[in-house]
Amino acid sequence: MPTAAQPAVQPILWCRDHLQLLDQRKLPQAVNYLSCRGAADVASAIHSMAVRGAPAIGIAAAYGLVLALRADVDGYDRAFETLAASRPTAVNLRWALERMGAVWLAGHDLEALEAEAIRIHQEDLEQNRRMAELGAALLPANATVLTHCNTGALATGGHGTALGVIRTGYAMNRIVRVYNTETRPWLQGARLTAWELQQEGIPGQLVADGAAAHLMASERIDWVIVGADRIAANGDTANKIGTYALALAARAHGTRFMVVAPSGTFDLRCPGGGAIPIEQRPAQELTEFKGQAIAPAGYDAFNPVFDVTPAALIDAIVCERGVVMLPTTDKLAALLR
Ligand code: MRU
């Protein structure tokens, strides 16, 4: 039975000798857990998107490192690199591994390493709750919001980032209407966000990605609220493909644009969006649907799965450390100092 401290949706279950991951490829039709027993299993679950969402893959990788070093105390470098290479864009992955690495290299202590992974997991939930309060406080009364991809409990240690703001805003009666994009091609919105909203009893409405600008033109949308996979030092933000188009449409229609992300998503080593690696995934994710061809045989596809929204299009970045309006390099440096 979920409690206040334990969220209803638990995508990551630490079982000490193995890790259980809710297989997000199967949702919403089936709720199945995958068992991971080492770094290779965890890296494969991340790469194949059984577990996805920037904070969630960082948490999973942290537990993966514990499993790897329990099996082979000399396997640090190999396990670190295997996990770090599983997906390139979300910096939370490397951030969590570097945090774990600092603990391991300080004393080669397996108990301390496990405790650090559990701390990373728990802290993420606490940070999400804090960001949810901060983000919800930016909403006007009777707000209508639009979100993209899935940034809920499934993508994090619980509650969610952008979806956490929506959950809390709805619970506070500040939000009257929620729209969420389907998020092609992987359908994180249609499959996962819709499932989470329904589980919470929050009435959402799905919109095709291509309908978002029309929606903003035909109805007042107060805020677009999204998560992030990496925020560069100047505030440029990488997030699920289609986020940039939403930000452009929002600016054109007087809709405000909020990015919600914990401090582990910021990459101050990255000066601007141009330095963020953008993951490209196989053409088949676009040319096929559930194994069935939807494009002519042999037709190629360009499939970047993230894009960069320039800081100039962002009205607010919400982090557990505070809120930055109209982000700049100086404001973000001060926030994260
Ligand atoms: O490819 P995905 O599903 O891992 O992409 C997820 C996103 O883009 C999310 O918006 C981001 O990771 C933030 S999740 C709190």
Side-chain angles (χ1 to χ4, degrees), residues 9-299:
V9 181
Q10 287 190 277
I12 303 170
L13 294 173
W14 176 238
C15 307
R16 299 217 68 197
D17 64 338
H18 71 286
L19 181 66
Q20 296 251 49
L21 296 173
L22 177 56
D23 189 343
Q24 300 189 30
R25 298 166 301 184
K26 304 274 171 34
L27 286 170
Q29 280 78 20
V31 178
N32 286 343
Y33 280 83
L34 274 182
S35 286
C36 298
R37 300 196 172 268
D41 287 352
V42 175
S44 154
I46 293 172
H47 182 70
S48 65
M49 294 176 61
V51 60
R52 33 79 33 211
I57 65 178
I59 295 163
Y63 286 126
L65 200 61
V66 177
L67 294 172
L69 292 174
R70 282 236 187 91
D72 172 13
V73 288
D74 295 321
Y76 173 76
D77 289 339
R78 193 156 36 93
F80 187 108
E81 285 315 321
T82 301
L83 288 160
S86 57
R87 286 192 84 186
T89 302
V91 76
N92 308 60
L93 182 59
R94 189 164 277 275
W95 167 85
L97 287 168
E98 285 177 358
R99 232 178 105 162
M100 295 290 287
V103 170
W104 179 248
L105 298 173
H108 289 211
D109 178 342
L110 283 167
E111 295 293 317
L113 194 70
E114 181 186 19
E116 185 68 359
I118 293 170
R119 200 171 302 121
I120 288 172
H121 194 170
Q122 287 173 344
E123 276 176 17
D124 190 66
L125 175 58
E126 288 155 18
Q127 289 168 350
N128 290 342
R129 292 204 166 118
R130 176 78 190 124
M131 294 190 295
E133 285 167 10
L134 292 170
L138 297 176
L139 303 174
N142 301 319
T144 295
V145 300
L146 169 66
T147 189
H148 188 52
C149 195
N150 172 266
T151 60
L154 289 168
T156 63
H159 200 68
T161 58
L163 206 58
V165 170
I166 292 173
R167 269 199 171 109
T168 295
Y170 188 79
M172 293 166 67
N173 290 321
R174 294 187 83 89
I175 293 181
V176 292
R177 191 160 297 131
V178 179
Y179 290 101
N180 72 291
T181 61
E182 57 176 352
T183 320
R184 282 197 49 77
W186 212 75
L187 300 175
Q188 289 93 331
R191 297 189 307 103
L192 308 178
T193 299
W195 185 74
E196 283 201 51
L197 288 172
Q198 197 169 58
Q199 300 248 324
E200 290 275 320
I202 300 175
Q205 261 181 290
L206 196 58
V207 293
D209 297 344
H214 172 73
L215 173 68
M216 290 182 220
S218 46
E219 185 179 332
R220 166 140 204 94
I221 305 294
D222 295 292
W223 283 92
V224 171
I225 310 178
V226 298
D229 287 81
R230 191 182 301 226
I231 301 176
N234 69 350
D236 291 352
T237 295
N239 190 50
K240 178 53 52 195
I241 192 75
T243 304
Y244 178 30
L246 289 176
L248 288 166
R251 185 54 57 94
H253 293 96
T255 293
R256 301 178 86 196
F257 194 88
M258 185 192 307
V259 173
V260 187
S263 45
T265 305
F266 291 76
D267 184 0
L268 298 187
R269 292 178 284 202
C270 197
I276 299 177
I278 298 294
E279 179 180 6
Q280 303 279 333
R281 290 187 68 92
Q284 289 91 314
E285 289 186 355
L286 283 173
T287 59
E288 295 177 5
F289 183 70
K290 290 190 172 177
Q292 296 280 317
I294 54 173
Y299 204 75

